[in-house]
Structure formats: C-alpha cells, structure tokens
Amino acid sequence: MLRKIIHIDQDKCNGCSSCAAACHEGAIAMVEGKAQLMRDDYCDGLGDCLPACPTGAITFVEREAKAYDEVAVLAHKARQAKGIPEDEPIPACPGTRTRQLEPASATPTPTDVVRTPSRLAQWPCQIKLAPVKAPYFDGCKLLIAADCTAYAYAAFHEEYMKGRVTLVGCPKLDGVDYSEKLTEILKVNAIKSVALVRMEVPCCGGMENALKKALAACGKLLPWQVVTLSVDGCPLEE
C-alpha cells in the first residue's frame, strides 16, 4: 500500500543511535554504525524518531510499504526483551493465537435454561490483533463493528454476527486509523461482502471513514452497508 513512512539518509547519519532509542516500536536498529529501518511493518509512521536525529538524516517519504502491524511489533519487542534473534519464533501469546470457531447449537442447561449460542466464528476478533491473511476470511461475509454495538443491541449475535466473520474495535480508544489494515484484509482475501455496525456517536465516524477509505483503496468492488444504532439500541433509518 502507499503510505507515509520514514527514510534514513545514510550519508547524513552519524551513528549516534538517538533515533533507535526514540523509536517505541523498535523499528530502527544500528547496522555497521548506521541507523537502519529494519522492517516497513514495524514503522507506525508517527515519526517519534525525527526530532531525536541531530543531523536531519530522517525524513518522511510516501511510498509502497506494508501496513503497520502491531502484532508483529509486539512479537519483535518480546524477542528483544528476551534476547531471541529476529529469525527465531517465540511462543505465541494464547490470546492472539488464530483460531476458527464452530458456533455451538443452543443446548439446555441442567436447570432447563436455554443458552443462546455465540455466533463468533473466529479468534482474535479485535481489528488490531487480527491477522491480515487467514483461512476464515476467504469466501466470508465480513462484519466490522464498533465494540459498543454488541452491548447496545441485545440481538447482535443473531442479527448481525450469524454467518459472518466479525472484527471489532473502537477508533477513539485504540487511537489508530484502521483503514490501512482493513485495506490489506480486503485486498488479500476473497471477501464476499462487508457490513459495518456503528453507534450514532461521533467517534464511531472514524470506523465508517476507515472502511470507506479501505473500500476505495483495496482495488475491488465489494457490496457493503452501514447500520447505525442509537445509544438506546435501536437501528436508525439510513
């Protein structure tokens, strides 16, 4: 994808390593006495390293680069903390392990109370943690939902999640633009359609804007729809 990312001028770099220390993602390392961007997907494009450079060797450029991958960054930082080489795998966090789920049928409990089955079809379901490429994306109907929606609308599982792969998030709390990752997900997987369920509050507009940017950038014509819920759980007329 085309995005903003740092560029390090090797002729201007004096090898002070200030930029590497300033980079919270560990995207910059010293190689033969010079600062080097190790991987595109480690760079979040925010530029904390720029003011740390005393020679002006670091600038922003716009070029084809992989989307920022927070999961990969966390794994990279875990390797650094444990002294594990970059090319060696580390045990995966159980919370981020990719799993395809088989929603269960409703079954009576010993007290004859019928539990409504979950319709979640995969794990993880957070946009920030979900992989860009996964088997369950191929041929799926994708649901992108603001995470408040499941609490506001009682029948959320049955009416929106059933038969779909679900990704949830909150642009205000996560503090990120989801459009880059959603673009990659739509681009590399054979997704049939996309539905977005959001709340009426203004901060949910970030979720809708991110989806629209991803749909425009993915290079595909996909059917899509947006459903907006009021804060008291009622779908609003579009």
Side-chain angles (χ1 to χ4, degrees):
M1 65 165 53
L2 188 67
R3 73 178 183 98
K4 186 172 68 173
I5 196 167
I6 65 162
H7 170 73
I8 304 174
D9 188 327
Q10 296 295 295
D11 293 331
K12 292 183 179 180
C13 177
N14 66 0
C16 70
S17 76
S18 296
C19 58
C23 179
H24 300 298
E25 289 72 32
I28 301 173
M30 304 306 295
V31 179
E32 296 181 356
K34 297 282 187 176
Q36 183 174 310
L37 176 62
M38 301 308 293
R39 278 178 36 173
D40 288 356
D41 56 350
Y42 289 173
C43 178
D44 61 8
L46 297 179
D48 289 341
C49 54
L50 269 68
C53 179
T55 65
I58 305 177
T59 56
F60 275 126
V61 297
E62 191 168 356
R63 64 171 174 81
E64 285 292 329
K66 288 185 177 181
Y68 172 64
D69 188 339
E70 186 174 14
V71 175
V73 168
L74 293 175
H76 170 58
K77 293 174 74 173
R79 287 190 186 91
Q80 288 182 319
K82 297 178 180 180
I84 301 174
E86 186 69 18
D87 57 353
E88 290 186 15
I90 58 174
C93 168
T96 61
R97 180 169 63 87
T98 299
R99 285 176 278 179
Q100 187 160 355
L101 307 178
E102 294 292 339
S105 300
T107 54
T109 66
T111 56
D112 293 327
V113 175
V114 177
R115 295 185 183 275
T116 302
S118 170
R119 297 303 182 183
L120 185 63
Q122 91 295 335
W123 186 267
C125 58
Q126 286 286 340
I127 297 173
K128 290 179 67 175
L129 298 179
V132 168
K133 178 73 174 175
Y136 48 72
F137 282 132
D138 285 328
C140 83
K141 296 179 180 178
L142 180 63
L143 172 67
I144 300 169
D147 48 17
C148 292
T149 55
Y151 294 94
Y153 195 69
F156 188 81
H157 276 243
E158 290 300 314
E159 293 194 23
Y160 297 119
M161 290 176 61
K162 186 176 181 180
R164 290 186 170 106
V165 166
T166 303
L167 296 178
V168 302
C170 174
K172 185 172 183 177
L173 295 181
D174 286 344
V176 297
D177 180 357
Y178 297 127
S179 60
E180 292 184 358
K181 187 163 190 180
L182 291 178
T183 298
E184 289 300 300
I185 290 173
L186 297 179
K187 184 183 295 184
V188 303
N189 299 286
I191 291 172
K192 290 182 177 179
S193 63
V194 186
L196 171 70
V197 183
R198 54 163 290 185
M199 300 300 295
E200 64 177 331
V201 294
C203 54
C204 266
M207 184 82 79
E208 185 170 344
N209 290 336
L211 174 59
K212 289 178 178 178
K213 287 167 65 176
L215 287 165
C218 72
K220 299 178 180 179
L221 291 176
L222 296 173
W224 62 284
Q225 68 175 127
V226 176
V227 177
T228 302
L229 303 179
S230 67
V231 292
D232 58 359
C234 297
L236 299 178
E237 294 291 334
E238 293 295 324

